[in-house]
Amino acid sequence: MQAEIAATPVKAVKVAFTAGFSRRYTDSIREFDVQAKNIRGVIRAMNDLFPGLGETLEEETSIAIDGVIHEVDYTQPVKPGSEVFFIPRIEGG
Amino acid sequence: MLTNTKDIQQVMKVVGTSPVRPDGVPKVTGQAQYGADYSLPGMLWAKVLRSPHAHARILSVDTSKALALSGVKSIILGSDFPEHPFDYVGPERVAQNYWHMTRNIMAREKALFEGHAIAAVAATTAAIAAEAVSLIDVKYEVLPHCIDVEDAMLPDAPLLFEDMITRGVEPAPSKPSNISKRLEFSTGDIAAGFASADEVVEMSFKTAAVHQGYIEPHSCLARYGADGQCELWSASQGHFVVRAYTAKLVGMEIGNLLVHPAEIGGGFGGKTVVYVEPMAVLLSRKTGLPVKIMMGREDVFKSTGPTSGSSMTVKIGVKKDGTIVAAEGLFKFQAGAFPGSPVMNATMCAFAPYIIPNVKSVGFDVVSNRPKSAAYRAPGSPISAFAVESVLDILAKKIGMDPLKLRLKNAVKAGSPTAWGPKHSHDGYAETIQVLLDHPGYQKPLGKNQGRGVASGFWFNGGGESTASVHINEDGTVVIATGSMDVGGSRASMALMAAETLGVPYESVRSTVADTASIGYNHVTGGSRVTYATGIAVVEACNKVIEDLRLRASLMWDTDIKNVVWSDGYAKPVDPSVGNFEPLSLKAIAGKRAVTGGPIGYEASTNAGGQAPGFSTQFVDVEVDPETGHVKILQFVAAQDVGRAIHRDYCAGQIVGGVVQGIGWALNEEYIYDSKGRLSNAGFLDYRIPVASDLPMIEAVLVEVPNPSHPFGVKGVGEANIVPPMAAIANAIENAIGRRMTELPMSPPRVLAAIDAG
Amino acid sequence: MSKHHVTTVINGDPVEFLCQPNVSLLDVLRNELNMTGTKEGCGTGDCGSCSVTLDGRLVCSCLVLGVEAHGKTIQTIEGMANGETLHVLQRKFLEHAALQCGICTPGFLIAARSLLERNNNPTEEEVRFWLAGNLCRCTGYNNIITAVLEAAREMRGA
């Protein structure tokens, strides 16, 4: 008899955008819940919802993962329940 | 048992000291080669013809007389550069539009600012090139112009681009204007926020364009070969970025352009873009000879990006106990002749140091007939901070609260919200305020016409792409190379981090900057990113080397690698049971490298994230001369959270340098235009930057709240220090003479007028 | 314009060159003689990066014509060190981090040496005013002033 493996629900990753970005690219919706283990997964999930968005996210944004700023990097891990905020990319002088 | 560098963070041997930098002796003996110091046999000199008009249609350009001059080899116009489609690419905050960029290098349809390049001549001597420039005959149709940002926004303003429709406005406007973009960041409910405030202050401010003021004009030398390979010696803040822009603007493949990093004589953001390089490369291609261009100082002021001038309105509401409940800002920035002012940075940084539940921050990017703005040290943030930090000062007075304590009460820390969305991720701001509250200078009594002012500032700091290589020489010394241009001593900081990681003396590490063919990609030296991101790459490369050194030692001892540890610069047995082995130095292992696998060296690259922003809090004492309006700086103390100071003197140097630029911005510097839109003060005599006799010793206070994402806890230090000074000085002047200055610069005639206005 | 033949002594060595009468000494040093240690920051005598001494007098070489150097002695940054031994000012600039990008440094060193030759015990204010003709955009001048005062101290044997 096969043991039943109860699937523990994995907490979603919250994906968020600025108001201006969401108005332009995500029908003004600012927050989404997705399942993903890393940034590649986040981008794939968002691209599934809005085809073409993935490339925009890669080219034009940086991310803040629970507030800590990172470049968009596929391999960057994301823990369940964390917040991934896409923000305008930073340049200095 | 040190197999991991994180263990050594507690006890630093070399990090935190202040040794002499590797490029020090060449620089004090005049041997260091900057952009204008290179020559090649057969070299031609190039000079540029620039528009004398602020706004004009270019009807015709006749180069025939110039070409006929003996010694002239080639003349190029805008039409000699490849055209680019009109398209904004890349990150919104710093989007590039190559249609604009190629026209900024050299005009096509119109001259859009006085100083706009129209043509470039290459000749056998500089004198012949200059004479040829004067022989080029250009027919212009002079057009009305606009300079000031408010004037450029008026409905009947002369348009720079007849098809510019403001982005970021819904629905899009039907008529064109000079407003390139509108943007907004909001959170909470502004109306409710102000309704709940006990005190509200709203005030408008104006700032003038100021130039980065680097002492070295833009210069480069290009040699384009008949095989399509080009070498370029250029002083810039990023030779990889120079390679990318130049290749694209000239129409060549990146791989065919090799850029050598010349030493750079100051950049502050202004040398993260190209001006002369595409011209030199194109002229070299056409002539088959090396071409050298050196900009004159007048051209630097007229034709290279200053930062924006602005027109701003800020409104802040607080409760009686000092809690900030609402903040609103309207920031109109002049971008110069092409879009791309740092207004987005300004709208984001303006209120960033404070926990405010209701914020609305709106920005406009506006074109006008002046040179295209370029980045200047924390671009945008010092401008909006002038307004915000001034208003906070007025509020502090209204509620009878010490201005530092007002800031401390509302200070952000890790977990605090931002107006644009994500939380703040690092502490450090409150510590910069506290250290000033505790500073004895803050209590120093003041005399007649003297006043003290405080201000704070925020800047993002950057991460991004860097590559570093580390090699062990045959004698056990170390050579490290990165692709990060060294503007302020970063070669020394890289060597310190490598020496600390490897456990060897600083003097045994040679630190260099490699050209674009010899190291992997490095993003610009700017955004306070190099000690952070390139430091990470250096440490990673060292860690790879350490793993290899352990392997080599294990082969030499004929034991398993797990029995070898790396400690204090030596391979050691993990415990005596492994065998009676003497520790092996780098020299000993390098001596056996051939039989253990060959040369020892690794490269590491990173796209670094996890950087922490910069916070700076400052106070200044001034004395105002009521008869002349002259403002004298008596005392200036600037605190900044640097995470961890790798090289203490160079960190302090960044803080003092940024503060003094801020003092110049506050008291003297501005672009002055005449009625024809021509710059009246295009030289260091009348564009007056601070000199040694203007200043006392500036005190830099290094606050260290380490950043856990960096192996040594580094936070970028270069920029946040220029954000507070203007407001701090305005606040000090107000305390000294009871006059609120709302326009920069606060030069003697303006201060005097404010005094006389009563 | 035909060129003039100029004979001069630079950093103790006899030097001859040809130059047109409208060419600055700065351009001669950099482009004829390949002595690029002296820098051009403005070309109009406002920044001091081109500082040299002419018969012992501190001048902006961009404001001196090449032909004016005929029969005179010139000192540039290239002559400041003595072989392998740095001048005390050069050492102090390094020790006190008195340079960041370093483009203004040759000018400051020439100007500072000129001050200390006249006044071996200057006050901070005297140093600041003497060096007011040399612009630095990177350092804010703190460490430059300290380095000059420390060099003066060492030179006095104090």
Side-chain angles (χ1 to χ4, degrees):
Chain A
M1 193 157 97
Q2 264 195 314
E4 256 190 13
I5 302 159
T8 324
V10 176
K11 235 177 142 188
V13 170
K14 184 162 89 157
V15 179
F17 301 99
T18 64
F21 193 92
S22 69
R23 260 200 302 276
R24 269 209 313 287
Y25 294 112
T26 60
D27 293 343
S28 294
I29 306 167
R30 289 192 65 176
E31 283 180 10
F32 298 82
D33 281 341
V34 305
Q35 292 292 338
K37 291 208 198 67
N38 54 33
I39 290 299
R40 186 75 188 90
V42 169
I43 291 180
R44 194 181 312 124
M46 292 312 304
N47 198 60
D48 286 345
L49 290 171
F50 299 93
L53 176 58
E55 196 173 319
T56 306
L57 294 175
E58 285 178 25
E59 297 287 309
E60 299 189 15
T61 64
S62 297
I63 48 180
I65 304 178
D66 291 330
V68 180
I69 296 183
H70 289 272
E71 299 294 316
V72 172
D73 176 347
Y74 286 166
T75 61
Q76 181 71 39
V78 181
K79 289 201 295 287
S82 48
E83 176 195 73
V84 174
F85 211 114
F86 285 90
I87 59 174
R89 196 185 292 171
I90 292 135
E91 297 279 347
Chain B
M1 196 163 129
L2 287 174
T3 56
N4 182 321
T5 59
K6 288 203 180 348
D7 296 338
I8 63 172
Q9 276 190 55
Q10 301 317 309
V11 181
M12 296 288 152
K13 294 214 174 68
V14 293
V15 159
T17 60
S18 294
V20 171
R21 56 202 277 182
D23 55 322
V25 168
K27 287 187 173 170
V28 298
T29 55
Q31 300 300 324
Q33 287 183 288
Y34 294 82
D37 298 336
Y38 289 92
S39 356
L40 285 169
M43 184 175 85
L44 302 175
W45 286 80
K47 294 281 180 193
V48 180
L49 170 68
R50 296 183 182 278
S51 167
H53 304 293
H55 194 194
R57 217 172 297 282
I58 300 169
L59 300 173
S60 64
V61 182
D62 181 359
T63 57
S64 55
K65 283 208 275 306
L67 277 168
L69 191 64
S70 179
V72 170
K73 296 297 184 192
S74 176
I75 301 184
I76 55 172
L77 306 177
S79 51
D80 289 304
F81 289 92
E83 178 61 288
H84 293 273
F86 186 96
D87 189 23
Y88 289 99
V89 294
E92 188 193 358
R93 206 186 307 189
V94 284
Q96 310 292 355
N97 186 328
Y98 282 90
W99 189 92
H100 287 144
M101 199 191 288
T102 182
R103 282 160 177 75
N104 194 35
I105 299 297
M106 201 167 268
R108 294 185 197 231
E109 304 82 10
K110 291 207 281 185
L112 291 168
F113 55 96
E114 185 216 11
H116 199 167
I118 308 289
V121 179
T124 50
T125 72
I128 294 174
E131 195 188 337
V133 162
S134 69
L135 293 174
I136 300 176
D137 191 10
V138 185
K139 298 263 186 293
Y140 296 100
E141 178 198 335
V142 179
L143 301 167
H145 69 278
C146 53
I147 298 286
D148 177 76
V149 64
E150 298 278 12
D151 289 342
M153 291 175 83
L154 292 172
D156 55 351
L159 291 181
L160 276 75
F161 301 100
E162 284 94 11
D163 56 359
M164 178 171 279
I165 301 289
T166 311
R167 294 169 290 155
V169 175
E170 251 114 77
S174 53
K175 277 177 57 188
S177 69
N178 289 321
I179 305 170
S180 163
K181 198 162 73 161
R182 179 192 186 279
L183 43 91
E184 178 177 329
F185 294 98
S186 329
T187 190
D189 178 343
I190 268 290
F194 281 121
S196 72
D198 294 322
E199 292 283 356
V200 175
V201 169
E202 181 175 17
M203 197 160 254
S204 292
F205 301 83
K206 276 182 93 70
T207 70
V210 296
H211 197 272
Q212 298 83 348
Y214 32 83
I215 305 299
E216 177 203 33
H218 301 259
S219 309
C220 73
L221 170 66
R223 172 174 62 195
Y224 200 108
D227 57 356
Q229 300 295 307
C230 183
E231 275 185 279
L232 181 61
W233 288 261
S234 160
S236 76
Q237 288 174 247
H239 42 310
F240 287 86
V241 162
V242 166
R243 183 178 69 165
Y245 286 152
T246 304
K248 184 146 181 150
L249 289 165
V250 163
M252 58 188 295
E253 297 210 356
I254 283 178
N256 290 337
L257 180 56
L258 196 166
V259 184
H260 297 277
E263 298 292 344
I264 177 177
F268 315 111
K271 289 185 177 153
T272 57
V273 288
V274 295
Y275 297 100
V276 294
E277 290 80 355
M279 292 195 259
V281 168
L282 199 57
L283 284 167
S284 184
R285 183 161 80 190
K286 285 178 167 256
T287 59
L289 290 168
V291 173
K292 177 165 173 168
I293 301 187
M294 196 179 120
M295 263 192 175
R297 176 53 52 184
E298 194 180 314
D299 287 349
V300 173
F301 276 116
K302 287 186 176 172
S303 318
T304 68
T307 192
S308 302
S310 74
S311 188
M312 306 181 277
T313 305
V314 166
K315 181 174 165 185
I316 302 181
V318 299
K319 289 237 184 267
K320 272 200 287 282
D321 70 353
T323 312
I324 305 175
V325 290
E328 188 170 0
L330 173 61
F331 305 103
K332 301 174 193 165
F333 275 37
Q334 253 162 18
F338 299 96
S341 76
V343 67
M344 188 181 259
N345 287 338
T347 53
M348 294 169 84
C349 293
F351 305 110
Y354 309 107
I355 301 172
I356 311 177
N358 308 292
V359 175
K360 181 175 172 189
S361 198
V362 174
F364 286 97
D365 185 47
V366 181
V367 296
S368 63
N369 296 108
R370 44 203 309 173
K372 179 188 184 322
S373 64
Y376 180 17
R377 208 162 191 156
S381 185
I383 301 171
S384 55
F386 172 59
V388 170
E389 297 291 311
S390 295
V391 169
L392 280 176
D393 204 61
I394 301 170
L395 284 164
K397 261 213 168 78
K398 277 191 183 277
I399 60 174
M401 194 169 184
D402 172 283
L404 281 179
K405 294 199 172 133
L406 172 63
R407 288 166 172 79
L408 192 59
K409 186 168 176 67
N410 296 280
V412 294
K413 48 186 191 292
S416 301
T418 62
W420 62 88
K423 301 187 286 282
H424 275 279
S425 54
H426 292 89
D427 291 334
Y429 176 39
E431 287 80 344
T432 65
I433 306 173
Q434 191 60 52
V435 79
L436 294 188
L437 280 166
D438 298 337
H439 193 286
Y442 195 61
Q443 310 304 331
K444 201 165 152 192
L446 292 159
K448 192 165 189 293
N449 293 321
Q450 296 180 351
R452 179 167 298 139
V454 314
S456 291
F458 166 92
W459 176 248
F460 292 102
N461 288 345
E465 295 178 282
S466 283
T467 310
S469 71
V470 177
H471 294 268
I472 311 299
N473 297 321
E474 309 92 276
D475 61 356
T477 56
V478 182
V479 65
I480 67 177
T482 73
S484 288
M485 291 292 313
D486 183 349
V487 287
S490 51
R491 267 167 291 200
S493 308
M494 299 304 128
L496 283 166
M497 287 186 273
E500 191 75 53
T501 307
L502 291 168
V504 300
Y506 168 80
E507 292 72 24
S508 71
V509 179
R510 181 117 191 101
S511 181
T512 65
V513 180
D515 64 48
T516 57
S518 308
I519 190 88
Y521 186 85
N522 272 245
H523 195 39
V524 296
T525 294
S528 310
R529 64 171 294 274
V530 167
T531 315
Y532 185 79
T534 308
I536 286 176
V538 166
V539 170
E540 274 183 30
C542 287
N543 283 338
K544 287 188 187 179
V545 164
I546 289 172
E547 289 314 294
D548 196 14
L549 291 167
R550 288 176 62 224
L551 175 65
R552 308 300 182 110
S554 75
L555 290 169
M556 288 161 75
W557 291 336
D558 207 3
T559 183
D560 192 284
I561 189 175
K562 28 187 227 315
N563 293 328
V564 182
V565 297
W566 187 262
S567 162
D568 288 332
Y570 290 86
K572 297 176 181 166
V574 65
D575 60 53
S577 71
V578 173
N580 188 14
F581 295 116
E582 286 300 306
L584 290 170
S585 65
L586 276 177
K587 180 169 177 179
I589 299 176
K592 286 287 197 183
R593 72 190 178 285
V595 297
T596 57
I600 303 170
Y602 285 90
E603 197 175 87
S605 34
T606 181
N607 190 0
Q611 70 273 18
F615 288 102
S616 182
T617 305
Q618 308 176 355
F619 76 82
V620 57
D621 293 352
V622 303
E623 182 176 307
V624 181
D625 184 329
E627 286 179 45
T628 62
H630 180 256
V631 176
K632 183 171 165 185
I633 308 284
L634 301 172
Q635 177 183 211
F636 205 121
V637 181
Q640 188 171 344
D641 175 17
V642 306
R644 185 195 298 277
I646 301 295
H647 191 302
R648 292 199 76 81
D649 281 354
Y650 297 159
C651 277
Q654 289 299 313
I655 294 172
V656 173
V659 163
V660 169
Q661 284 182 310
I663 291 172
W665 198 333
L667 294 179
N668 285 95
E669 294 176 40
E670 63 177 318
Y671 267 44
I672 300 173
Y673 281 91
D674 68 14
S675 61
K676 289 198 156 69
R678 293 176 307 207
L679 192 57
S680 302
N681 61 338
F684 278 130
L685 185 63
D686 296 313
Y687 182 89
R688 174 68 159 69
I689 72 175
V691 302
S693 52
D694 293 330
L695 304 162
M697 291 292 185
I698 310 291
E699 186 180 333
V701 178
L702 303 182
V703 170
E704 288 180 293
V705 179
N707 177 359
S709 306
H710 186 276
F712 291 103
V714 160
K715 293 179 180 175
V717 72
E719 293 168 289
N721 38 66
I722 200 179
V723 179
M726 291 82 84
I729 292 171
N731 294 338
I733 291 174
E734 207 281 331
N735 274 301
I737 56 167
R739 301 284 183 272
R740 171 57 57 184
M741 305 300 294
T742 58
E743 206 171 322
L744 290 182
M746 300 173 284
S747 50
R750 290 223 180 96
V751 174
L752 201 54
I755 293 173
D756 292 342
Chain C
M1 262 186 287
S2 61
K3 292 186 175 181
H4 289 243
H5 179 222
V6 176
T7 314
T8 177
V9 173
I10 303 184
N11 300 327
D13 296 322
V15 174
E16 291 176 56
F17 55 85
L18 294 173
C19 76
Q20 282 168 339
N22 64 346
V23 171
S24 71
L25 176 60
L26 175 65
D27 282 344
V28 169
L29 286 170
R30 289 180 55 80
N31 303 328
E32 292 299 318
L33 302 175
N34 284 315
M35 296 174 73
T36 57
T38 307
K39 307 297 179 194
E40 177 175 323
C42 70
T44 51
D46 302 314
C47 76
S49 306
C50 66
S51 299
V52 299
T53 58
L54 190 62
D55 278 356
R57 183 181 163 197
L58 181 66
V59 296
C60 283
S61 58
C62 70
L63 295 180
V64 175
L65 295 173
V67 294
E68 286 186 75
H70 186 61
K72 294 195 164 63
T73 32
I74 300 169
Q75 293 276 332
T76 72
I77 185 68
E78 286 90 347
M80 196 155 178
N82 186 5
E84 262 193 329
T85 311
L86 294 175
H87 189 280
V88 62
L89 275 167
Q90 291 169 310
R91 257 195 296 115
K92 293 298 176 188
F93 265 56
L94 291 174
E95 279 165 39
H96 291 278
L99 57 139
Q100 288 182 26
C101 79
I103 191 92
C104 68
T105 303
F108 268 99
L109 286 167
I110 293 289
R113 182 174 65 175
S114 181
L115 167 67
L116 297 183
E117 280 165 2
R118 286 158 175 67
N119 177 355
N120 73 346
N121 195 0
T123 63
E124 179 184 330
E125 195 177 28
E126 282 171 328
V127 174
R128 285 184 178 277
F129 273 86
W130 183 271
L131 295 176
N134 290 75
L135 300 183
C136 174
R137 196 54 162 169
C138 295
T139 69
Y141 306 102
N142 267 21
N143 294 348
I144 294 175
I145 306 301
T146 304
V148 174
L149 290 169
E150 287 299 306
R153 192 200 310 275
E154 184 175 314
M155 285 167 80
R156 288 196 305 272

